[in-house]
Structures are given as C-alpha cells and as structure tokens.
Amino acid sequence: LWQVPVTFEDVAVYLSHAEWEAITEEQQELYRSVMLDIYELLTSLGKGSVSSWARVSPRGVAGAEGGI
C-alpha cells in the first residue's frame, strides 16, 4: 500500500467570487465548515501546508486567490 503526502491544496475546493455569490448562505456556511474541518484534520496530522492558500478567521476561510 502506497501512501502519498496530502496537503490542504490537494483537497481544497476553490470558488471564484461569482461562484461564492451564487450560493446560498447555508451553502457558504457548509463550505466554511468543511474547509475548516479539513484544515484542522491535516494540521493535527502535521500535514497542513496552508500558509500560501488560506487565512482562517472567526468568520471562516478566505482564499488568497480572490476566491472564497
């Protein structure tokens, strides 16, 4: 069984600003929750390489590429 390291960038789902605006508040909250769960899981395993992608704030995750 082969194991390949996984980073946050490997599993993150990127949304453009237009895509973010097109989804409901409930979907935005679900997105934030899932992204934070992934972030927490990977960092707890010592695998989180997120500094180039995400800022984590009390409101959720914001992408550095202009998307959410």
Side-chain angles (χ1 to χ4, degrees), residues 13-23 28 31 65-68:
V13 174
Y14 298 93
L15 299 177
S16 70
H17 185 71
E19 290 170 324
W20 182 257
E21 294 297 319
I23 62 176
Q28 291 174 354
Y31 173 89
E65 299 293 324
I68 301 297

Side-chain angles (χ1 to χ4, degrees), residues 40-53:
E40 291 170 359
L41 175 64
L42 290 174
T43 56
S44 75
L45 297 171
K47 309 278 187 211
S49 172
V50 297
S51 61
S52 65
W53 184 85

Side-chain angles (χ1 to χ4, degrees), residues 20-37:
W20 182 257
E21 294 297 319
I23 62 176
T24 66
E25 287 184 30
E26 291 82 12
Q27 291 168 320
Q28 291 174 354
E29 185 55 40
L30 177 60
Y31 173 89
R32 287 185 189 106
S33 176
V34 170
M35 290 295 101
L36 285 172
D37 287 347

